[in-house]
Amino acid sequence: MSECESCFTPLIRLDVNHLMSDVVGERYGISANELDAAQQAATAAFEAVKRNRGQGWLGWTELPYNQDDIVADIEQTATSIRKRFKAFVVLGIGGSALGPIAVHQALNHLHYNELSDEIRRGPRLYVEDNIDPERMQALLDVVDVKTTCFNVITKSGATAETMSQYLIVTEALKKAVGDGWQQHIIATTDREKGNLIKLAQLEGFKTFYIPSSVGGRFSQLSPVGLLAAAVCGINIRLMLSGAKCMDQRCATDRIWDNPALLEAVIQHVLMESGINVHVMMPYADSLKYMADWFCQLWAESLGKNVTRKGMAVNVGQTPVKSLGVTDQHSQLQLYTEGPYDKVITFLKVEAFRATTAIPHGCEEFPDVAFLGGKTLNQLIEAERQGTEYALLRAGRMSQTITLPIVNEHTIGQLLYFLELVTAYVGELLDIDAFNQPGVEESKIASYAVLGHTGDKYRLKQQEMAAAPASQEKYIL
Ligand code: PA5
């Protein structure tokens, strides 16, 4: 199937040839029999996700279907932002930032902010997902807060990084704008929980809600990602319709007919056989940050120390981001000759949105002249195939997800596909793919270090004081 049967748009494809033992070799490849043997477990995973659709932490499964009013509101708000502001700044971290960054890179011009106001489809966009003090100052050096809209995104409404940024920008706004500073802030948060919703109600901010059943890293197709996209003129309805196409393609429990389920079974088999590293390697700058988004989704969802029944497991696969062809000159040596502990996923683009010809020249240097008359499009794909072959020759496993073109629809498909794979793998591992207890510990410890006087932080201060002290002899 190369296009959607209902909307006739091109579909992304998963090619697992280079994972299979009859292609890559018996020693590390997976056999079709092995995958067929996992059908029963796959059916159970499929049924569990289907049964819980839209509930618990599976609210994201329904986002392509249940947001008509929200999408209309987002589009209307985006139109007004485009008229009123010169810059749009997202303040958020983790799941509240990586999706907006990935979609911006994929669907906006690669030098979007540098385009002239006439050509750009919306205000300049900045996604500030760190609290590096220099970066915050640098942002305030390049935007004029009087003409900037800040979208504060935090599901919990309590994240220290985002709330610190909120305090900084509100102070700057109050000074620069005075009355009406609230018109420069849009809050995206949980409808009930957390401090941001209380602040939003108090100050009267325009607010979008993150459904309680949608966790941060699964929230790109909610207002978290949709607003920034719409502000830049991205067609968010198409993105949702791409997600819907993928959902419908994955509506069967037969692994050879459901790409997300097949991919989940493969990754589960690989994890069980000690393939602990998953390299996401887009061969397109537009998909560079899709790898970052995937890394969070994969790491935070699947890196767990207990099953749902509390059995110790310590599972997960370390995701690594790698960019083709850039990282051929950095990481590929390790992938072809290092430990046999990795699977590489290529993201391939079939039709780039530009064709760049390589001019003829340097005829006296045959190896340079040989490139003349070809295109960068041919060169990047030749290098991807070359890398795929080098890995195959070294007995290393890879797979390819092909996007016929990068557009709203295929990006919607890709996001939903990877979310679904993650949910299925969570089922196959019998873990809670939607929590992140390992992150909490660091948050509490940081507040303890900062001297928060709440009970749990004071207890943490005592616990930390009793931890082994650093010894001078180990510091050079
Ligand atoms: O996936 C998750 O839930 C996390 O990565 C969160 O997105 C991240 O910690 C930020 O949380 P919040 O949106 O509550 O500020």
Side-chain angles (χ1 to χ4, degrees), residues 368-425:
V368 180
F370 153 81
L371 297 167
K374 302 200 169 45
T375 61
L376 290 183
N377 309 54
Q378 288 172 299
L379 183 59
I380 195 168
E381 175 51 14
E383 294 208 27
R384 194 199 63 77
Q385 287 180 24
T387 301
E388 185 180 56
Y389 179 72
L391 290 166
L392 174 74
R393 194 160 179 273
R396 311 303 168 121
M397 289 182 289
S398 72
Q399 59 176 355
T400 301
I401 300 171
T402 299
L403 283 79
I405 187 165
V406 176
N407 63 23
E408 284 93 336
H409 200 275
T410 55
I411 289 300
Q413 292 176 52
L414 182 65
L415 292 165
Y416 200 88
F417 169 76
L418 292 169
E419 289 177 353
L420 210 44
V421 174
T422 307
Y424 289 145
V425 177

Side-chain angles (χ1 to χ4, degrees), residues 10 30 32 42 49 51 81 106-107 122 172-173 186 255 261 325 453-454 475:
I30 309 172
V49 170
R51 200 169 43 247
I81 290 169
L107 298 175
L173 280 169
I186 296 181
I255 56 171
L261 194 56
V325 305
T453 52
I475 304 173

Side-chain angles (χ1 to χ4, degrees), residues 251-286:
T252 169
D253 70 330
R254 293 186 304 275
I255 56 171
W256 295 103
D257 293 319
N258 176 339
L261 194 56
L262 175 67
E263 172 64 2
V265 167
I266 286 172
Q267 294 309 324
H268 184 233
V269 168
L270 292 178
M271 286 179 201
E272 301 250 286
S273 60
I275 301 297
N276 291 325
V277 180
H278 191 140
V279 179
M280 180 59 80
M281 192 165 190
Y283 269 72
D285 273 43
S286 61

